[in-house]
Amino acid sequence: RLPREGTRGGAASGAVARSVAAVVVDEPERLAMSLFGAVIALVLIGGIYLASNAYYGKDVAFGFGDVILAPFLGMFLGWINPGIVAPGLFFGFLLGALGAIPAMIGGRADTKTQLPFGPFLALGAVVAVFVGQHFVDLVLVR
């Protein structure tokens, strides 16, 4: 379970820190980029949450804590470049799958086992910081 107080507190303190940073480095456009990144992440993960609830039932396939965490991660990735938000989320899904497969092969999990997704989302955002733009360039053949 993701502690909502921590996620919301981190988002609030991060918003203040990014606002101060935007003034210090004289780049106010980064605030709009950050907000755009948060919106991208919320739309993508929120859409997946709603679709999974419609298909599987409430919070069976996807928890609401992940929906709260996504814009928090998106605003930090958006500060760097809103274009790496979706790859960051993709990396989270990929890492989650890579984490689940060994558990399934080892018999410790099956298709009904719920695994925490938040840590994989966070790790995917970290990966996107380092390789997100390279991934976008590779996909778009630039």
Side-chain angles (χ1 to χ4, degrees), residues 13-108:
S13 62
V16 170
R18 279 188 329 283
S19 297
V20 170
V23 170
V24 169
V25 298
D26 195 29
E27 294 181 354
E29 68 278 359
R30 291 209 180 256
L31 293 176
M33 292 168 50
S34 186
L35 179 62
F36 187 48
V39 169
I40 291 168
L42 180 61
V43 167
L44 291 173
I45 297 296
I48 293 169
Y49 174 78
L50 292 174
S52 67
N53 280 352
Y55 188 78
Y56 295 108
K58 183 150 175 58
D59 292 343
V60 173
F62 214 78
F64 192 70
D66 301 318
V67 177
I68 294 171
L69 179 63
F72 173 58
L73 298 173
M75 70 180 176
F76 285 103
L77 290 175
W79 172 271
I80 298 167
N81 177 358
I84 66 171
V85 174
L89 299 174
F90 170 74
F91 294 148
F93 278 95
L94 184 64
L95 292 167
L98 292 175
I101 290 170
M104 293 177 79
I105 290 172
R108 296 184 316 270

Side-chain angles (χ1 to χ4, degrees), residues 81 83-84 87 132-142:
N81 177 358
I84 66 171
Q133 189 59 52
H134 299 297
F135 179 76
V136 170
D137 293 341
L138 179 68
V139 169
L140 296 178
V141 190
R142 294 196 239 175

